[in-house]
Amino acid sequence: MNIAELRELALDLLRRSDRLSREMKIDAYLLAELEARFGTVTRQHPLRFASSERDSRIDFRLGGSNPVLLELAVRPADGACQLYGSQNKPELFKLTRWPQTQVKLRALLLMDFATKPLESERLRSTYISINAGRGRFERNPVRVVYVHDKLQYHFIWQPWA
């Protein structure tokens, strides 16, 4: 899976979903589409941090020779700031800590059902100030993919910025 395939899949799902606004409904449809197109998909894949007593979970892990980690965030039609960086810090932190040797693509998929899309620079500015925090752990960049019916784009979030 690459960025173009992910964006195409999300846009197709967005257009066919009859304006579903709940993340759990989209989650089920996305799982079905990922399994149909790419095969092996693990939902709620466990992730253990040394400093944590409980496992964290990644929304989707696509297996194969080029493993992909995917977190999903949804802004409903009447939503406000569900897609901003401050709201998605935990997802970014989970994705950035996964070792480069075990995954080839880390993506935070932002699906927007609102009437008006978010401009690229406005959304990107909410992610720039976020860093992965202190500590001795590997930090890897995360691809943030924004999909709206009228506008799609992606950018890289750098955890050390």
Side-chain angles (χ1 to χ4, degrees):
M1 170 188 267
N2 59 36
I3 299 299
E5 290 172 325
L6 179 60
R7 190 172 60 207
E8 176 187 321
L9 174 95
L11 185 59
D12 183 43
L13 186 61
L14 193 78
R15 289 180 176 157
R16 288 188 299 126
S17 66
D18 296 329
R19 297 293 182 203
L20 294 173
S21 60
R22 296 188 173 264
E23 185 171 342
M24 291 308 291
K25 290 181 183 178
I26 295 298
D27 189 73
Y29 285 116
L30 185 58
L31 176 62
E33 286 293 324
L34 288 170
E35 286 178 337
R37 293 185 188 195
F38 302 105
T40 309
V41 178
T42 306
R43 187 173 175 273
Q44 298 299 319
H45 190 75
L47 168 65
R48 166 77 65 178
F49 294 128
S51 62
S52 177
E53 294 178 11
R54 294 183 346 169
D55 283 348
S56 291
R57 300 203 180 275
I58 298 288
D59 288 342
F60 303 100
R61 181 185 182 279
L62 284 71
S65 59
N66 287 326
V68 175
L69 295 179
L70 181 62
E71 282 285 336
L72 174 65
V74 176
R75 180 170 82 153
D78 60 349
C81 55
Q82 289 91 337
L83 303 183
Y84 290 157
S86 60
Q87 300 296 314
N88 291 301
K89 272 186 194 181
E91 286 77 14
L92 290 171
F93 292 172
K94 288 186 283 186
L95 289 168
T96 194
R97 290 185 181 204
W98 205 286
Q100 185 69 27
T101 57
Q102 296 179 11
V103 66
K104 299 303 176 201
L105 174 64
R106 293 164 194 75
L108 174 61
L109 177 60
L110 308 175
M111 293 183 68
D112 192 355
F113 287 91
T115 307
K116 186 177 177 186
L118 293 171
E119 294 299 323
S120 173
E121 287 308 313
R122 180 178 175 196
L123 185 62
R124 185 186 305 229
S125 68
T126 67
Y127 284 85
I128 289 174
S129 62
I130 299 172
N131 65 38
R134 297 178 6 202
R136 295 177 60 188
F137 57 89
E138 183 178 350
R139 294 163 174 83
N140 296 290
V142 175
R143 179 70 63 172
V144 179
V145 181
Y146 174 82
V147 178
H148 184 276
D149 195 27
K150 299 173 183 152
L151 180 66
Q152 302 86 44
Y153 53 84
H154 57 91
F155 57 88
I156 295 177
W157 171 72
Q158 301 285 354
W160 48 83

